[in-house]
Amino acid sequence: MHAREPPGLPSPALPLASSVLMLLMTSLWLMGAGPSLTLAPELLLDPWQVHRLLTHALGHVTLPGLLLSLLLLPTLGWWQERHLGTLRFLHTSTLLSLATGLLAVLLAGLGVSSVGGSCGYMPVHLAMLAGQGHCPRWFWGVLPPRLLPWLLLALTPLLCSEPPFLQLLCGLLCGLAYMTGAFWWLELSERRLQMLQEGILCRTLARCWPLRLFPTPGSLAELPVTHPAGVSERPARLPPGLGPVQLTWEGSSEVDLDWARSSFAPGTPLWMALDEQMLQEGIQASLLDGPVQGPQGPLWLPKSSVSSLRLQQLERMGFPTEQAVVALAATGHVEGAVSLLVGGQVDTEALVTEGKGVPPHPKGPGPP
């Protein structure tokens, strides 16, 4: 899923974060700042040098290492930023860069001397590829997505001597750990991400050109918003396959909006209350699509009744799909669903279907 350009821009804009990274890395290399950013474990004892755990990815000492990092940013980085959104791309790359630095320092402390004293963005490239588990469409049919980070791991030492192989391996291992959900407790929640995207700075950067902040695909920042009379605001386009969503629909009323406002603390944004209301009414509508179940039959819960993005988050944390669907249907939020799943409060007798409502011939006990 890719974020589309808002109307009115003269031409497609470039992703903000990855483009700024290219300019920053090039400027640091031209200024000769690479050696001052190397990941030297002996220097980390100084509190003023702890920044190397993160900034080691920005520095480059050799020209081939810099060129390889710059080549992969427009090739992979731009696609990743459009796919994840600018804020999530920045958060994920920062988290994986820090994790790679910590793992490299740990190995250096255990006596692996070849890990320290290096820098470069290639370990972060490998971590992002391994952590996302997918690649641009033009790679499909040429190489399985899971093999691409391993191929880059093997080819990078042949193309440049920076960074060393073990540091590249540290980045790849951190990406695999991220994919299994090891860093889920450090992830940005959808509510926090939405609050950041609703800020004045993010809204301004989302309208800039030629560098633009891309919202997270599927978030409310991409949905059309109904504005009061006299306010001219063009709605953003939706991702492919999604139709326009209105804040009110048939069956809703002002009473529903009053209920949504009263269910949250004072000062809560209206979009948050409406999001909860839309989710709950969507669940009820999906459950009413099928025939009425008997008192002895199991609960059939359609998979489409919950947010696919939230369901993917729970699946990446290692929770079973069926229990994750039930927990999301009960709470509507990832945080609440995690609490139910960890506490073992999810009904395991509920059956999850791929479509809407009850299958035509459900299995299990019940009248013929």
Side-chain angles (χ1 to χ4, degrees), residues 1-5 82-83 212 214-215 217 222:
M1 184 185 297
H2 300 277
R4 295 184 178 181
E5 303 292 337
R82 288 190 174 99
H83 183 82
R212 187 170 79 88
F214 283 81
E222 286 197 333

Side-chain angles (χ1 to χ4, degrees), residues 160-193:
C160 60
S161 59
E162 174 196 55
F165 177 80
L166 285 180
Q167 190 170 350
L168 295 172
L169 183 60
C170 288
L172 182 57
L173 293 178
C174 290
L176 294 176
Y178 178 84
M179 184 179 62
T180 60
F183 302 116
W184 68 267
W185 52 284
L186 295 174
E187 282 286 336
L188 275 176
S189 65
E190 291 187 9
R191 180 177 300 182
R192 179 63 177 171
L193 184 65

Side-chain angles (χ1 to χ4, degrees), residues 9-357:
L9 292 182
S11 63
L14 301 178
L16 175 65
S18 47
S19 300
V20 171
L21 274 176
M22 295 177 64
L23 296 175
L24 183 59
M25 289 189 295
T26 304
S27 301
L28 290 174
W29 185 82
L30 291 175
M31 293 187 299
S36 63
L37 300 176
T38 56
L39 190 61
E42 65 277 3
L43 296 178
L44 295 178
L45 298 177
D46 184 359
W48 296 101
Q49 299 296 326
V50 179
H51 66 86
R52 293 172 183 262
L53 289 172
L54 182 61
T55 56
H56 69 91
L58 302 177
H60 294 80
V61 177
T62 62
L63 181 59
L66 173 67
L67 294 179
L68 185 58
S69 297
L70 294 179
L71 175 64
L72 290 180
L73 274 172
T75 306
L76 297 174
W78 288 357
W79 179 85
Q80 289 169 346
E81 185 172 348
R82 288 190 174 99
H83 183 82
L84 298 174
T86 299
L87 294 182
R88 194 173 292 281
F89 172 82
L90 272 177
H91 179 268
T92 305
S93 56
T94 301
L95 178 62
L96 292 177
S97 176
L98 183 60
T100 302
L102 289 173
L103 182 58
V105 170
L106 177 61
L107 291 179
L110 295 177
V112 185
S113 58
S114 60
V115 179
S118 59
C119 57
Y121 198 80
M122 276 305 300
V124 183
H125 277 310
L126 294 176
M128 291 289 290
L129 277 175
Q132 299 303 320
H134 44 252
C135 60
R137 291 185 178 181
W138 55 272
F139 274 110
W140 296 357
V142 179
L143 188 70
R146 301 289 184 184
L147 294 182
L148 180 58
W150 296 97
L151 178 62
L152 285 179
L153 176 66
L155 293 180
T156 300
L158 302 178
L159 299 175
C160 60
S161 59
E162 174 196 55
F165 177 80
L166 285 180
Q167 190 170 350
L168 295 172
L169 183 60
C170 288
L172 182 57
L173 293 178
C174 290
L176 294 176
Y178 178 84
M179 184 179 62
T180 60
F183 302 116
W184 68 267
W185 52 284
L186 295 174
E187 282 286 336
L188 275 176
S189 65
E190 291 187 9
R191 180 177 300 182
R192 179 63 177 171
L193 184 65
Q194 187 63 36
M195 291 177 63
L196 292 175
Q197 291 183 156
E198 290 291 334
I200 298 178
L201 178 60
C202 290
R203 284 183 174 272
T204 303
L205 293 176
R207 294 178 175 87
C208 289
W209 188 90
L211 303 180
R212 187 170 79 88
L213 183 143
F214 283 81
T216 300
S219 64
L220 292 180
E222 286 197 333
L223 300 180
V225 180
T226 303
H227 296 276
V231 178
S232 60
E233 181 71 22
R234 294 183 178 180
R237 296 183 181 179
L238 289 172
L242 294 181
V245 178
Q246 301 295 333
L247 293 181
T248 57
W249 59 92
E250 184 178 359
S252 299
S253 62
E254 292 298 328
V255 177
D256 297 329
L257 295 180
D258 293 338
W259 169 85
R261 293 188 185 99
S262 61
S263 300
F264 290 82
T268 302
L270 181 58
W271 64 261
M272 192 179 300
L274 292 175
D275 182 33
E276 179 66 21
Q277 180 197 2
M278 293 171 65
L279 178 63
Q280 296 300 330
E281 293 198 13
I283 293 174
Q284 295 177 9
S286 299
L287 292 176
L288 292 176
D289 282 347
V292 180
Q293 303 173 24
Q296 302 297 327
L299 172 64
W300 293 90
L301 187 64
K303 191 175 180 180
S304 59
S305 63
V306 298
S307 169
S308 60
L309 293 177
R310 297 173 182 174
L311 180 59
Q312 289 176 8
Q313 272 190 286
L314 292 177
E315 289 176 341
R316 287 175 56 185
M317 296 177 192
F319 297 112
T321 302
E322 292 77 9
Q323 296 184 14
V325 171
V326 176
L328 278 176
T331 61
H333 299 288
V334 175
E335 295 83 355
V338 171
S339 300
L340 291 180
L341 292 168
V342 172
Q345 303 176 10
V346 177
D347 183 13
T348 57
E349 296 182 357
L351 302 178
V352 177
T353 63
E354 292 293 335
K356 296 182 178 180

